[in-house]
Amino acid sequence: MLKVLAIDPDPEVQTAIHAILAAEKVEMASAADAESGLQVVHEFRPQVVLLAQRVPGASWVEVLETILARDPATAVIVIALYYSTEAAVEAIQKGAYDYLPKPLDPEKLRGRIGALIAEAEERHKVFELDCALVGAYQYEGIIGRSPAILQVFAKIRRVAPHFQTVLITGETGVGKELVARALHRVSPVAAGPLVVCNCSALVETLLESELFGHVRGAFTGAVTDKVGVFEYANGGTVFLDEIGELPFPAQSKLLRVLQNQEVQRVGSPVTHTANVRVIAATNRNLRGLVAEKQFRQDLFYRLSMIELELPSLAERREDMPLLQRYFVRKFAAQYEKEITGLTRRAQLLLSQYPWPGNVRELENVIGNACMMVKGGVIDVGDLPESVRSAASLPGAGDPGLVTLEQLNQRHLLYVLDRVGGNKARAAEILGVSRATVYEMLSRMKTMTAAGIAVAAGQTS
Ligand SMILES: Nc1ncnc2c1ncn2[C@@H]1O[C@H](COP(=O)(O)OP(=O)(O)OP(=O)(O)O)[C@@H](O)[C@H]1O
Ligand SMILES: [Mg+2]
């Protein structure tokens, strides 16, 4: 059912619209003035609004812009008192879906609504297909279809049955923990425990007792015996996160565990078997740490016999649309909202951003947008300012490494954003003339045709 709202002060027109659309697959609502119309838009969330050109309380342009600001996907059909080419062009330019003159031609109106119903059904189908696609292109909860990630899937499958130790490397937020959990799940010890230990989270002495256990009296405060991670995970897997932070003494002990499958609790000569598989992860360059004598070479060789190097998001941009859909679906369900996707310009913007925080950052950005968005489609305005400004600038790599001109541009966009796109006000705050603001905007447009059009379009 397509939700249609008619905003028109004339009861006769309302009756006519209801009659024309009576047999269509629509759910109707009506309002007689701008204020109540916008209220209904907010509560009823229509996909289509029939907007009279004369409505009490505001100009039709204001009403149109408010509706589109809430949900750019709304199809607004402006109903004019009489046909005028200028007004029709203006309406379309302002984002209206169509422009129909009074008296309403029933066939035309039914035709437009029919097309919109077909479009909505098509979108729904595409959405379902997309969902199926997300299902198809994932492995153990890891989403992706790029050659780089497919290689990772293949390696997990090959390695999982056999490994004793695996080293997972990659930048922050690329999914190292996700892959570690997948490795355990598809390994023969999946029924055994997976015990996670973050090597950077504890001070040195506590870390050793956490990993290897201790006996009563081993150190002040050791009032009882304690089983360590390795003993606890016997018959399963230990995931050592941030292995690069493991202090030197603990590194030797770990090496002994890996070589002999035995652990010694701190303060005890007795050895216990620790039949465990070890997955270690790091976002640091372990080779570099070895060269700096921060990490034991022998341990490094032992750990890196099998290395799984995860690609950064920038190295697998092909996966962006799939990941976006996946996260939109996830957060829409979480916030119990009907969100079907992102506008094209929002997608464009995301595709230009460098993603230093990788998939985690994308997940956060989409999560936030889903929380903020009012309508069913995420637009540029729902994305954080940091993404909007960094993505739209040329040479966007490290967001901090920019030229002064780029910094100026970014600041201009920031100020424009804060003053709701008011260029005169922005010029005042920036202490430059309005002409300068226009000049900067137009230069940005020509520099990165697509990118800046997005950012400037947002604020103009
Ligand atoms: N391919 C993927 N598909 C779906 N979600 C992913 C993918 N990669 C990462 N994520 C999600 O991104 C977030 C970060 O992933 P994870 O914690 O595994 O990263 P990490 O490499 O361990 O990062 P760090 O080095 O900062 O610890 C998690 O919420 C994870 O579910
Ligand atoms: Mg991690």
Side-chain angles (χ1 to χ4, degrees), residues 88-163:
V89 170
E90 189 189 2
I92 303 301
Q93 271 175 345
K94 292 258 187 297
Y97 175 81
D98 208 343
Y99 178 91
L100 297 176
K102 284 179 187 171
L104 277 169
D105 176 341
E107 276 319 301
K108 259 196 187 148
L109 182 58
R110 266 198 290 270
R112 298 297 194 278
I113 298 291
L116 283 166
I117 291 173
E119 226 175 79
E121 281 171 351
E122 186 62 23
R123 251 205 314 276
H124 190 74
K125 240 189 278 164
V126 169
F127 183 65
E128 281 187 341
L129 276 177
D130 280 352
C131 293
L133 212 64
V134 169
Y137 291 109
Q138 63 111 7
Y139 177 69
E140 292 290 320
I142 312 163
I143 309 295
R145 64 199 283 200
S146 60
I149 203 77
L150 291 181
Q151 261 177 20
V152 172
F153 295 170
K155 194 151 182 188
I156 294 174
R157 279 196 201 95
R158 268 204 322 274
V159 164
H162 313 292
F163 76 97

Side-chain angles (χ1 to χ4, degrees), residues 170-252:
E171 292 174 12
T172 181
V174 289
K176 294 185 292 296
E177 179 155 358
L178 203 62
V179 167
R181 291 181 185 279
L183 262 172
H184 173 73
R185 265 201 310 276
V186 296
S187 80
V189 299
L194 169 72
V195 185
V196 180
C197 182
N198 187 324
C199 300
S200 74
L202 294 168
V203 295
E204 201 167 318
T205 46
L206 278 182
L207 180 65
E208 284 194 20
S209 110
E210 178 78 15
L211 286 175
F212 312 113
H214 64 242
V215 290
R216 193 176 148 203
F219 48 84
T220 354
V223 286
T224 53
D225 289 8
K226 178 183 155 81
V227 176
V229 161
F230 279 95
E231 266 181 83
Y232 191 77
N234 197 17
T237 307
V238 171
F239 175 44
L240 298 176
D241 206 357
E242 314 223 16
I243 189 80
E245 312 300 323
L246 193 68
F248 224 74
Q251 291 179 21
S252 328

